[in-house]
Amino acid sequence: MAFTTMVGARIRRREDPRLITGRATYVDDVRQVGTVYAAFVRSPYGHAKITSIDTAQAKSDPHVLAVYTGEDLHHAHNLKASLPVAHKMPDLKTPPHYVLALDEARVVGEAVAIVVADSPYTARDAAEKVVVEYEQLPAVVDIEKAAAGPPYVHESLGTNVAFTMPFSAGDPDKAFAEADVTIKQRIVNQRVAPVPIEPRSMVASYDAGMQQLTLYSATQIPHLLRTQLAIALGLPENKIRVIAPEVGGGFGAKLNVYAEEVVVSWVAMQLERPVKYIETRSECFQAMIHGRDQIDDLEVAAKNDGTITALRLKITANMGAYHQLLTPVIPTLTMLMAHGCYKFENIAAEVVGVFTNTMSTDAYRGAGRPEATFFIERAIDMVAQRLKLDPVDVRRKNFIASSAFPHTTATGLTYDSGDYETTMDKALAIIDYAGLRKQQEELRKQGRYLGIGISTYVEVCGMGPSAAMPAAGWDSATIRVEPTGSITVLTGVSPHGQGQETTFAQIVADELGVPIDHVSVIHGDTDKVQYGVGTFGSRGTAVGGAALKLAIDTIQAKAVKIAAHQWEANPDDVEYRDGKMQVKGDPSKSMTTAEAGFLAFMGDKLPPGLEPGLDATRRFEPPNFVFPFGTHICVVEVDAQSGEVKFVKYLAVDDCGRLINPMIAEGQIHGGIAQGLSQALFEEVVYDGNGQLLTGTLMDYAIPHAEQVPHYELDHTVTPTTVNPLGIKGIGEAGTIGSTPAVANAVIDALAPFGVVHIDMPLKPEKLWAAMQAVPSNGSVR
Amino acid sequence: MQIDLTVNGKQTFIDVEPRLLLVHALRDSLNLTGTHVGCDTSSCGACTVLLDGVSVKSCTVFAVQASGHEVTTIEGIGTADSLHPMQEAFWTAHGLQCGYCTTGMIVSAVDLLKRNPDPSDDEIRAGLEGNLCRCTGYENIVKAVRAAGAAMRAGDPRHSVNELMPIHPPTVEPPPSGEAIIPQQLQEAKV
């Protein structure tokens, strides 16, 4: 790529004018004549038998068009009333997950009936008139109690254990026997809620004449959703159109196939009216997937010099009451990334997935990798604390050397490229680490508690090779050079804030030599765009962008043939230079992509045998994942009187390879850090023992305000990858993965003088204050 | 019942149920869908509009309470032809990602600068505590509000989207209208 003006530039996003002026169209902004509105009746109990449902009163409401229950749907022609889970796990228990509860509800908020009325207000009124009688059943919320025995979430399974996956590599027992020190620690990674500001939203309509279903949904995966709807509704897939218009945040929570999407689609078919359902925030807390929720029991073996030799690990993961699309896959990613950026070879691990009467867990920003990074980065600090070493030195001692890439870990992943020490050294220099440690020591003498937390993360993303994914891992791009020179890009990924309308246009503008405003990037409509897998797992640019590059290559190759024919030259002698074609070494004649596109449209001056038209559809199958990495350093002061945590500094030095638009990459890191630090300090989904959700509104569940987060100082290093033709790695999740342990390590470091070894998140002031008053003998605070 | 709302400078009379929230009157009766709903507890601020020039959460105001008053929504703050400096600053500073909270955030920030034309970063963060954003980590929102404050104090005029992001004419022009034959030579197409 010789000609570059756009790639690497901080240009304003091309999607923004409509967003800042209120002219964008989110699902709730879709207006269709004749629309009716759905409300769901949901279980108020964590576990209950449904003994009767009386819909008569609701049905007699003149505003109501229809009421359907689980029983109605269960017997409906063609409807497959159970939801999918994508996995390749042979022994996974997959109990039915009905789109409306059939005779038992297993989680608070499980949909029991749907009411359709002439306005959103009347629909909710009528939902109140559906009389459901429940017989409460014993609920189980605690993962360990659930794993141990009854009561069972699914009585027919006779267990709450959904799967057990053991793993072993090297000789961990020998390493433990020979260790100078061993450290044992339970680390709880609490349940959190994704909270995109736009809740789940959908409107379905059915054209009976064309036998065509159209579903607008706030989804990250329009095509995968279409495929699953075809299966669930018994419709041919070519009769379903899924549109993800503007989507107001996803963070993994909209990477799913939700019961409501199936039910609303089915109801639209029955009524032949557009049916709209916009959930309330309270419903969103109950019925949108949650993230994390693992107990990680860890044992580390180390030598006196800080070298880590082995890890024993038991991951007990809460599945919730049912599997959603990727529920059981998430904790397996934790196990795969248990190494972090360290080279130890002995590992014994076990993952246990457990059903409880709670909402399903699934992919939430980082999806399994934040949990791994959290425990391994905490483990490094615990080793340093025990051996009275600097945590920086322990990291340095255990890093995979930059010369050792590609590096295959004991868990079987091949890290593509990395230079962990350079990134860490850059961060230490920027923040003046030595100076900070000195300052910390002085402040401690004054009774002030400064904490310095480091996290050197690596994560697996750019999901991913199809062989290693629960379903397809490739993605697609089409480029069309239109007759008058503008360029249409159709991408299979489905951005919802990541800015690919801009970054993809930057790539095309450079490579095909057109002004950026001549490039239009279309996504999120299965009737416009060729099949694509969607946006998740930091794959949008690393996989979708790579497909775009392949399509550019095909366009260029054909354009070169067209130009060569005009000039009676050998195509091998024609090249793209500075965005134009010319005969090698002869700048006197040149042709633009647009000119070649026009000739390809006219069709009469093409070389014999060359088809008219200048367009290409290509797919990229990633040969491997990509592994971005970085060093986050957080400095906090913990108030000895109140336990409050005050941010002093936050620095992130990340490496995601080559940057297409640094401004957009930084934005991804900012947002990621905020979500990660918020898990460390504020966020926690809480159910009581009966499975009642106690954090069901934004009044009870703390996502941070502007005042509660610090200024983030960013820098980066560039270590390209050869996994894709753009040399880039994903950056969507890295901030979240890196930040949580940096913040926790900082807070725990601040409290080290009190003998604190570990504190479980969220690190709330009352917990920290209590720890400063009396630390348990093992140094571990729950 | 009929209410009298002046929205973005235009007086309208609409029939509403007494319980209808202002946000739904704006969105559904007047089709001003730039004002969003993100929660049910007045926590998120996505629905922020100006009521007689002061920011309110329109999910916490009944439409009837706004009768006889002036409402400004994001659509009235600025348009593509005449962006408010706050809108331009959010764009330039990358103060938005998914955009869902953005419209309410911009309205709140406009109100904040009205009350305090030169806020410090801490004052900006405190001033926006009623608006939640899950994408940006607030870093670039703070930057945008600071930049908008500077531009407004300097009397920076409004710009259009086209000024800030010019659109180039096509490189290959279509034939003049009325001409049935597409030019056979590329040169004729004024490449």
Side-chain angles (χ1 to χ4, degrees):
Chain A
M1 190 172 347
F3 173 74
T4 288
T5 56
M6 280 293 157
V7 168
R10 294 170 173 273
I11 63 160
R12 289 187 187 92
R13 290 204 316 175
R14 306 173 75 236
E15 35 279 86
D16 287 358
R18 63 179 188 263
L19 298 169
I20 55 178
T21 55
R23 265 75 173 181
T25 303
Y26 297 86
V27 172
D28 197 14
D29 307 335
V30 172
R31 297 288 184 262
Q32 296 181 87
V33 174
T35 299
V36 292
Y37 300 85
F40 283 88
V41 178
R42 296 179 181 278
S43 170
Y45 299 112
H47 198 184
K49 200 171 204 36
I50 298 165
T51 54
S52 72
I53 304 179
D54 181 354
T55 60
Q57 205 195 335
K59 279 178 175 162
S60 69
D61 184 327
H63 293 286
V64 170
L65 283 89
V67 181
Y68 299 102
T69 66
E71 194 69 31
D72 296 328
L73 267 71
H74 199 67
H75 299 296
H77 177 64
N78 267 355
L79 180 75
K80 188 168 180 288
S82 190
L83 288 168
V85 49
H87 69 96
K88 289 178 178 169
M89 298 160 78
D91 301 324
L92 181 71
K93 292 193 169 59
T94 55
H97 181 187
Y98 298 119
V99 291
L100 289 178
L102 194 51
D103 40 34
E104 203 170 309
R106 295 180 174 86
V107 55
V108 155
E110 184 166 353
V112 170
I114 181 172
V115 177
V116 186
D118 57 10
S119 87
Y121 285 45
T122 52
R124 259 190 258 170
D125 288 344
E128 298 285 322
K129 295 178 183 168
V130 175
V131 182
V132 187
E133 279 184 31
Y134 297 93
E135 181 191 319
Q136 246 190 295
L137 297 171
V140 60
V141 168
D142 183 282
I143 326 179
E144 288 189 293
K145 272 188 204 154
Y152 299 124
V153 177
H154 301 272
E155 194 64 44
S156 62
L157 295 181
T159 177
N160 288 319
V161 176
F163 71 95
T164 303
M165 182 184 277
F167 179 83
S168 181
D171 192 346
D173 289 342
K174 181 163 173 272
F176 270 91
E178 291 171 358
D180 294 330
V181 287
T182 61
I183 289 170
K184 202 170 175 177
Q185 181 65 48
R186 164 164 291 198
I187 291 179
V188 178
N189 208 295
Q190 86 274 28
R191 177 179 287 241
V192 292
V195 198
I197 305 297
E198 179 202 33
R200 293 179 305 159
S201 309
M202 60 206 73
V203 50
S205 59
Y206 185 67
D207 179 334
M210 296 296 290
Q211 300 187 322
Q212 166 101 17
L213 172 76
T214 301
L215 176 70
Y216 286 84
S217 183
T219 183
Q220 301 173 223
I221 48 164
H223 278 100
L224 293 178
L225 177 57
R226 186 189 72 178
T227 300
Q228 294 301 331
L229 281 178
I231 295 166
L233 298 167
L235 284 180
E237 197 167 348
N238 58 10
K239 291 291 184 186
I240 303 176
R241 178 184 188 186
V242 174
I243 300 171
E246 218 71 66
V247 173
F251 314 113
K254 293 174 181 171
L255 154 59
N256 228 303
V257 179
Y258 283 107
E260 291 85 347
E261 291 171 319
V262 176
V263 176
V264 167
S265 298
W266 181 82
V267 170
M269 293 172 68
Q270 309 312 304
L271 301 179
E272 295 184 23
R273 297 278 293 268
V275 179
K276 184 181 268 193
Y277 171 63
I278 310 294
E279 73 177 349
T280 65
R281 177 59 59 190
S282 309
E283 287 179 293
C284 187
F285 273 113
Q286 291 182 343
M288 177 183 260
I289 62 99
H290 294 154
R292 320 285 188 256
D293 205 348
Q294 290 183 3
I295 296 175
D296 300 311
D297 285 301
L298 206 65
E299 268 184 275
V300 185
K303 291 185 190 158
N304 279 331
D305 67 357
T307 306
I308 291 171
T309 53
L311 188 65
R312 282 195 190 121
L313 175 65
K314 183 177 179 189
I315 298 169
T316 313
N318 197 339
M319 304 284 94
Y322 302 99
H323 297 304
Q324 281 282 348
L325 192 61
L326 296 167
T327 301
V329 177
I330 306 302
T332 66
L333 286 170
T334 308
M335 190 195 75
L336 283 175
M337 286 308 293
H339 281 279
C341 43
Y342 311 108
K343 63 189 171 210
F344 58 88
E345 281 163 7
N346 306 302
I347 180 165
E350 186 182 33
V351 189
V352 184
V354 183
F355 291 119
T356 63
N357 294 108
T358 61
M359 183 56 203
S360 311
T361 57
D362 204 317
Y364 167 56
R365 203 166 192 170
R369 295 98 83 201
E371 296 90 321
T373 306
F374 189 77
F375 66 62
I376 197 70
E377 291 304 302
R378 285 268 49 245
I380 293 280
D381 271 30
M382 286 188 278
V383 168
Q385 194 177 2
R386 171 76 70 85
L387 295 171
K388 297 190 169 50
L389 297 170
D390 192 307
V392 164
D393 296 333
V394 176
R395 285 179 170 82
R396 215 182 283 286
K397 191 111 219 152
N398 290 284
F399 275 154
I400 299 158
S402 61
S403 57
F405 291 91
H407 170 86
T408 300
T409 67
T411 53
L413 291 173
T414 300
Y415 291 1
D416 54 348
S417 61
D419 188 351
Y420 307 139
E421 203 159 5
T422 298
T423 304
M424 184 174 77
D425 284 337
K426 188 167 187 179
L428 295 173
I430 292 171
I431 208 153
D432 182 19
Y433 181 69
L436 273 175
R437 284 289 176 207
K438 216 171 280 167
Q439 193 190 351
Q440 178 183 43
E441 207 180 305
E442 276 154 25
L443 286 175
R444 274 180 186 168
K445 287 177 200 155
Q446 304 166 26
R448 291 175 59 186
Y449 300 98
L450 198 72
I452 304 157
I454 299 168
S455 150
T456 46
Y457 75 90
V458 58
E459 72 118 341
V460 53
C461 72
M463 311 246 165
S466 294
M469 296 283 286
W474 50 270
D475 224 300
S476 67
T478 293
I479 297 176
R480 295 200 305 246
V481 181
E482 309 291 2
T484 50
S486 59
I487 291 180
T488 306
V489 173
L490 308 172
T491 174
V493 299
S494 192
H496 41 281
Q498 295 86 350
Q500 270 99 2
E501 287 176 39
T502 304
T503 48
F504 283 11
Q506 287 178 269
I507 295 169
V508 170
D510 277 1
E511 297 267 354
L512 297 183
V514 295
I516 191 165
D517 56 276
H518 286 193
V519 187
S520 174
V521 179
I522 294 171
H523 56 81
D525 183 337
T526 61
D527 266 13
K528 285 186 185 166
V529 179
Q530 72 291 337
Y531 206 111
V533 174
T535 291
F536 56 88
S538 302
R539 69 191 303 282
T541 307
V543 184
L548 180 72
K549 179 68 173 73
L550 296 183
I552 287 167
D553 293 346
T554 302
I555 294 281
Q556 286 184 336
K558 185 165 180 180
V560 158
K561 281 184 198 158
I562 293 169
H565 185 67
Q566 302 307 301
W567 300 329
E568 295 176 353
N570 185 335
D572 293 341
D573 295 334
V574 175
E575 63 175 3
Y576 261 85
R577 199 173 180 87
D578 297 342
K580 283 181 181 169
M581 286 167 282
Q582 63 176 55
V583 176
K584 282 175 191 166
D586 174 14
S588 64
K589 274 186 290 191
S590 71
M591 186 184 284
T592 64
T593 306
E595 288 164 341
F598 186 77
L599 289 172
F601 159 71
M602 295 298 286
D604 59 347
K605 291 197 171 56
L606 298 179
L610 195 70
E611 279 178 18
L614 187 54
D615 55 35
T617 299
R618 295 289 303 271
R619 292 170 186 82
F620 178 66
E621 168 63 43
N624 189 5
F625 298 101
V626 289
F627 296 83
F629 59 92
T631 296
H632 288 212
I633 302 182
C634 176
V635 185
V636 300
E637 183 171 351
V638 180
D639 188 299
Q641 261 67 52
S642 68
E644 266 179 300
V645 176
K646 197 183 111 208
F647 284 102
V648 178
K649 257 181 194 163
Y650 197 100
L651 168 70
V653 179
D654 296 283
D655 192 323
C656 62
R658 191 162 153 253
L659 299 174
I660 309 292
N661 183 331
M663 183 179 80
I664 289 177
E666 286 165 8
Q668 290 293 310
I669 297 166
H670 292 154
I673 293 172
Q675 277 176 321
L677 72 84
S678 184
Q679 178 179 11
L681 296 183
F682 310 124
E683 295 184 34
E684 184 174 31
V685 171
V686 183
Y687 286 92
D688 75 7
N690 295 317
Q692 200 55 248
L693 181 63
L694 303 182
T695 50
T697 73
L698 279 171
M699 304 286 275
D700 317 293
Y701 185 86
I703 76 167
H705 298 263
E707 280 182 290
Q708 293 173 300
V709 298
H711 159 66
Y712 322 111
E713 191 180 345
L714 303 189
D715 212 316
H716 66 276
T717 57
V718 178
T719 309
T721 177
T722 54
V723 168
N724 59 65
L726 293 171
I728 59 163
K729 301 182 178 185
I731 194 62
E733 297 160 290
T736 309
I737 292 165
S739 61
T740 311
V743 175
N745 281 347
V747 172
I748 294 164
D749 180 57
L751 268 48
F754 297 91
V756 170
V757 172
H758 177 73
I759 311 177
D760 275 327
M761 301 183 290
L763 304 167
K764 293 182 189 175
E766 59 264 35
K767 212 185 263 185
L768 304 185
W769 182 84
M772 289 187 281
Q773 310 313 306
V775 177
S777 56
N778 66 358
S780 190
V781 182
R782 294 255 79 87
Chain B
M1 56 192 293
Q2 195 181 57
I3 60 166
D4 159 13
L5 281 182
T6 300
V7 181
N8 300 331
K10 190 166 182 258
Q11 191 178 21
T12 52
F13 297 89
I14 52 172
D15 270 319
V16 299
E17 269 191 87
R19 64 172 173 168
L20 189 76
L21 298 173
L22 176 58
V23 65
H24 293 134
L26 295 170
R27 290 181 49 81
D28 299 330
S29 306
L30 300 173
N31 206 30
L32 293 168
T33 56
T35 303
H36 302 144
V37 179
C39 74
D40 43 16
T41 49
S42 298
S43 306
C44 79
C47 65
T48 306
V49 299
L50 300 179
L51 186 63
D52 294 334
V54 178
S55 67
V56 296
K57 292 180 176 175
S58 60
C59 75
T60 317
V61 178
F62 289 115
V64 292
Q65 290 176 290
S67 189
H69 295 272
E70 287 194 23
V71 177
T72 307
T73 68
I74 186 67
E75 289 90 345
I77 295 283
T79 61
D81 291 336
S82 171
L83 289 177
H84 188 283
M86 188 63 73
Q87 291 169 314
E88 184 185 332
F90 266 70
W91 188 14
T92 306
H94 189 34
L96 64 148
Q97 289 176 28
C98 82
Y100 197 79
C101 78
T102 307
T103 49
M105 193 72 81
I106 287 173
V107 174
S108 284
V110 166
D111 183 49
L112 169 65
L113 287 193
K114 215 180 289 172
R115 288 180 280 115
N116 180 357
D118 186 11
S120 68
D121 283 5
D122 284 349
E123 286 168 337
I124 293 170
R125 288 178 186 271
L128 294 177
E129 63 98 35
N131 292 73
L132 294 174
C133 171
R134 193 61 156 165
C135 291
T136 64
Y138 302 103
E139 178 82 14
N140 288 343
I141 290 177
V142 175
K143 201 168 145 190
V145 178
R146 204 167 55 215
M152 288 164 77
R153 290 195 306 281
D156 199 34
R158 288 177 172 230
H159 301 107
S160 75
V161 167
N162 281 345
E163 271 176 80
L164 300 167
M165 193 171 70
I167 304 286
H168 298 84
T171 31
V172 181
E173 282 180 29
S177 62
E179 199 171 298
I181 301 161
I182 293 173
Q184 291 295 305
Q185 297 297 322
L186 257 181
Q187 285 74 9
E188 286 177 41
K190 297 173 197 162
V191 175

